[in-house]
Each structure stands twice: as C-alpha cells, then as structure tokens.
C-alpha cells in the first residue's frame, strides 16, 4: 500500500512490449532500469517504470528489435501537467478558495434567544447599532464588549451574551423582572371622591370604606379612610380601649358619573394630497449600500416607505439585500366638507375628548348627541352617563411638635 502511494506521488508509465520481451527486460535490467507490475495482455508483455527511466529504453529496444508503446500515465506529475494546460481551471479553483476564505470572515446569520416580553426586532436593532448584524466582519466584533453595549441600550435586559459559532452569531438575553409599583401614596392618606357620582363598586384593600354601593357622593367626600377609630356596637359590651388605625388608604371606587362635552368643527379642514413620487434602490452587500441610480433630494414634506428584500439560500438569510425606498411629496390643500363629513369629524373629535378626560378603565355607558350646523360650523354637544374610577388619594399632613 505504501509503495503504491509512493509511485502515485512520483508518477509512472505503463507500457506494452511487442517482440522478444524476455530478452528486452533482461538487457534493460543489466542497464540498471527497474520495472514492476508485470503482466501479459493480448500476447504482449506489460510493465511499469518511472518516466525518467522509460526514456533510457531506446538502446535496449534497438538491440533487441522490439517496440514499446505507452498505454497509461499515472501519478501526480501528470495530473499537474494537465492542470497547467488548463490555466482557467486552476485560476478558478484559486479564486474559489480565496472567496471562500474571504466570506468565512463575515457573519451570515444573527438569531435571538431568551426573549419573552421584548420584541426580537428591538433586540436586533440594538445589536446592529453595536455592530452585530448580518454581514458584519467577525474580526471587528468583540462578543463581550458587544453584549455589554446591547445591555446598556436596553434597560429591560439583565443579562446579554453574544455567542459566535463559525459564521453565525446568537444574541442570548435574559429580561429584567420589574417589580410592580404601587400607584397609591405611602404614609397617612385617605381616598376621596374626585367628582360627584353614584357608587356602584367599592374595594377597600387598606382602610375602612365610608360609603356603600348605591350611595351618591359629592366631590371631595371621604370614600375610604386610612385614619379612623373603631365605632363600638351601641347594643353590645363597650371595649376598654377603642382600636385606632393610622396608615395609607388603598382601594378602588367605581361610580356612575355625568359629563357634558362640547366640540366644534369648521366647514373646511386642511388635508394632504399625494404629489410627485420618487423611487430609489440600493444593493446592500455585507452592510455596504450601493446606490442603483442617480436621484435628487425632494424638498418639502415627504412620506417615505421602505421595503427590504433579502436573499435566502436553503432557508438561510444571506448578507445580500435589495432595498427599495418610495418617497411621495405631500401637498396641503383646503378641503370643504359636506354636512355629513362635518358630523363625522365632530364625532371623532368628541371621542378624542372623551379619551383625554376619562381615567384609565372608564367608559361611556349612555350618551345623548345634539348636532348644530350654523355659520359653516358644526357644534356637537354630548350629555354622557359614564362609569369611571373616582377615588383620589389625599395625603394627611401631620404637624410634628417642636
């Protein structure tokens, strides 16, 4: 096996002898020429020899009156000689090896793991700002430093690790557990009504409720007391010492309330119409954006939409993308609305006013709308029955003795 491997490295020729082969091999052996691989094919002797020794067989052939014919050439020297005649093939192999080595120095995929609440897109944007992105050069990325920079950009993360695996990188994260914060003040406090209404639900987590469902309360009335004294049962035994409590009041009071809204809408309103359009394209290769054309900058208010189409191979995203950006020039014009359109605009404005005034979780149960069209104006008056949280925390200030 080792001898055959050595012959392949050094090369050999296999030739056929036509004539007195026995005498030919005897004379050639006396000349110091070595042979191997003897066999007989179609009545002629066949043997193998080194290429440089085959050229020395001419005197032995003339002396014996035989003819030799090479049937096969094997080994590394002959293969290299064939490749030398095909310079394009050799150059292509070298270029392919160089291209493979060059491309292996970039990241061909970025993934995110460990996120639950935070979006993957947000993490990838922060990673891209730190240089960790599709097509980034590997030698310019320090995984430890990149992880620290990503965590500094995203306060919601408690731990970030940038792990590289060949041409792929994984951003492993752990989200920070945010403890719930109390929205009600500590210390001595009461909960009072922020406006008048009829109580429909009261939940006193800390403190004593001073009203019951169905009661009508006015603005500023005490709803849940944080500072109070026990009221004994007048028909039972009287305690020697009454229980007193001094602390924060916590709870929720929902009531039916009444609100009035008035909004006005003119007969005309400005609106934007689309004007000139311009489309721009770029070829993004390993983060390098190459513009595909020439264009001028649009002056004025412009609406822009962008589309990125990334190349994929066998399900793997490649660092090659075509970016398309469509810019539309917006022009303002005065639009005269019809009465129906005025009413619709007034209703939208009313909804915005209601959302701005009502607290979180409140809603309108019933409403009575009245439209008035006069002098090109549309006036909308709304009388609404709402259900909302009316509890408001009021801190009790205690003066200290000096």
């Amino acid at each position: 096996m080792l001898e055959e491997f050595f012959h392949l490295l050094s090369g050999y020729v296999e030739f056929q002898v036509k004539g007195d082969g026995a005498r030919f091999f005897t004379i050639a052996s006396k000349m110091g020429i070595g042979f191997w691989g003897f066999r007989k094919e179609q009545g002629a002797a066949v043997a193998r020899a080194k290429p440089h020794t085959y050229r020395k067989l001419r005197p032995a052939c003339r002396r014996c009156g035989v003819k030799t014919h090479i049937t096969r050439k094997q080994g590394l020297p002959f293969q290299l000689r064939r490749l030398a005649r095909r310079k394009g093939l050799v150059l292509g192999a070298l270029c392919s090896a160089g291209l493979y080595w060059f491309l292996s120095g970039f990241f061909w995929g970025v993934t995110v793991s460990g996120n639950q609440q935070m979006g993957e897109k947000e993490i990838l944007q922060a990673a891209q700002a730190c240089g960790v992105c599709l097509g980034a050069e590997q030698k310019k990325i320090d995984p430890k430093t990149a992880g620290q920079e990503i965590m500094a950009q995203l306060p919601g993360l408690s731990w970030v690790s940038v792990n590289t695996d060949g041409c792929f990188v994984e951003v492993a994260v752990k989200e920070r557990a945010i403890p719930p914060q109390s929205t009600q003040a500590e210390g001595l406090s009461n909960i009072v009504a922020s406006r008048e209404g009829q109580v429909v639900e009261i939940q006193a987590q800390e403190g004593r409720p001073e009203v019951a469902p169905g009661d009508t309360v006015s603005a500023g009335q005490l709803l849940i007391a944080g500072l109070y004294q026990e009221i004994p049962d007048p028909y039972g035994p009287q305690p020697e010492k009454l229980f007193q409590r001094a602390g924060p009041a916590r709870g929720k009071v929902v009531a039916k309330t009444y609100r009035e809204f008035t909004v006005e809408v003119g007969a005309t309103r400005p609106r934007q119409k689309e004007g000139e359009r311009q489309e721009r394209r770029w070829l993004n290769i390993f983060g390098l954006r190459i513009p595909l054309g020439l264009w001028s900058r649009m002056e004025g208010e412009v609406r822009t939409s962008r589309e990125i189409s990334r190349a994929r191979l066998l399900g793997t995203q490649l660092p090659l993308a075509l970016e398309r950006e469509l810019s539309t020039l917006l022009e303002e014009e005065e639009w005269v609305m019809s009465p129906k359109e005025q009413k619709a605009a007034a209703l939208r404005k009313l909804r915005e006013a209601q959302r701005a005034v009502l607290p979180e979780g409140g809603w309108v149960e019933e409403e009575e709308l009245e439209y008035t069209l006069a002098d090109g104006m549309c006036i909308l008056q709304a009388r609404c029955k709402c259900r909302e949280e009316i509890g408001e925390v009021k801190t009790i200030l205690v003066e200290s003795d000096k």
Side-chain angles (χ1 to χ4, degrees), residues 132-263:
V132 181
C133 59
L134 190 67
E137 198 170 352
Q138 293 189 27
K139 64 181 181 180
K140 294 184 179 180
I141 302 298
D142 180 16
K144 185 176 181 181
T145 305
Q148 294 174 351
E149 293 177 354
I150 295 173
M151 190 165 60
Q153 290 193 26
L154 301 175
L157 301 179
S158 62
W159 174 82
V160 177
S161 176
V162 178
N163 307 316
T164 59
D165 182 14
C167 295
F168 297 89
V169 59
E170 177 192 26
V171 182
V173 302
K174 183 178 181 181
E175 296 173 342
R176 190 185 305 276
I178 302 177
Q181 297 181 354
S182 174
T183 58
Q184 297 182 351
E186 297 291 340
L188 298 179
S189 62
N190 291 328
I191 294 181
V192 299
S194 59
R195 61 183 297 107
E196 64 278 358
Q198 184 181 16
V199 178
V200 295
E201 179 185 356
I202 181 168
Q203 298 177 1
Q205 298 172 355
E206 291 188 30
R208 184 178 65 189
E210 300 293 332
V211 293
D215 293 349
T216 301
V217 297
S218 58
Q221 182 176 338
L222 180 63
L223 302 178
I224 301 177
L227 176 62
Y228 61 88
Q229 180 175 286
E230 178 186 5
I231 300 176
D233 183 4
Y235 302 103
Q238 301 297 311
E240 296 180 0
K241 186 177 180 181
L242 297 176
F243 170 76
Q244 293 183 346
R245 194 243 185 208
R250 301 178 187 275
K252 175 182 179 183
V253 181
V254 179
K256 292 182 179 181
T257 60
Y258 174 80
R259 291 181 182 269
E260 291 186 356
F261 299 89
T262 302
V263 295

Side-chain angles (χ1 to χ4, degrees), residues 3-24:
E3 182 181 357
E4 183 179 355
F5 180 70
F6 174 75
H7 289 321
L8 288 174
L9 286 179
S10 58
Y12 66 89
V13 295
E14 189 176 271
F15 61 95
Q16 189 178 52
V17 180
K18 294 183 179 180
D20 192 354
R23 185 183 177 192
F24 168 76

Side-chain angles (χ1 to χ4, degrees), residues 306-323:
R306 177 174 295 180
E307 179 183 353
I308 301 178
S309 302
R310 295 197 177 275
R312 290 181 175 272
L313 179 64
L314 301 177
T316 302
Q317 198 175 70
L318 302 180
L320 175 65
L322 179 64
E323 298 183 13

